[in-house]
Amino acid sequence: MLFKLNTRLIIILSFMTNISIAQELKTVSTVDLEKYSGTWYEVASFPQHFQKGCECTTAKYTPTDKGYVIVENRCKRNGKESFIKGKAFIDKDSGNAKLKVQFFWPFKGKYWIIDLADDYSYAVVSHPNKKYLWILSRKPKLDEDVYKGIIIRLKEKGFDLSKLNLTKQI
């Protein structure tokens, strides 16, 4: 009886450990900001109130010599261009994979790069709470096999992908 109880306890503890590990969000190890700079197209994202009605969404990142990155987000909303400019500050000792983005002083949001192609052709960005998610590409459309691979990795990281919406790019 004691053996059965210990076996069950080990199985339960093992399962609980796997759940907590799967829920911890990790970033990529390093990001070369020069390679990351430039224009990215939003392929898919979790809907956010500040992006309501947006299509043709892009983000442009430009590193500065002052130690931060200029962020320019654009989209078409009701046929008109919408634009916002902000700054991203790099978290020290994060390999440039964790940033804090600020569009309105003094508020900053966490911007974690959690998946990145070796050739910087796609990136996946989130927040440690997993309520924000953006799949970005250098082109308006991402190769279907590459997209499927990203989706598989996001599932493994514990994301609820039922909320994921494809972004219309014209």
Side-chain angles (χ1 to χ4, degrees), residues 19 30 37 99 135 157 159 167:
I19 288 173
T30 59
S37 67
L99 297 94
I135 299 174
K157 293 175 192 237
F159 280 87
T167 304

Side-chain angles (χ1 to χ4, degrees), residues 70-103:
I70 295 171
V71 181
E72 298 173 85
N73 290 344
R74 297 176 191 278
C75 77
K76 286 186 182 174
R77 192 181 312 216
N78 300 323
K80 297 179 184 175
E81 185 172 299
S82 179
F83 171 82
I84 189 166
K85 188 174 182 177
K87 297 177 182 177
F89 302 91
I90 300 151
D91 280 359
K92 291 181 182 177
D93 303 321
S94 73
N96 298 332
K98 294 180 182 179
L99 297 94
K100 290 185 179 145
V101 178
Q102 180 180 61
F103 290 102

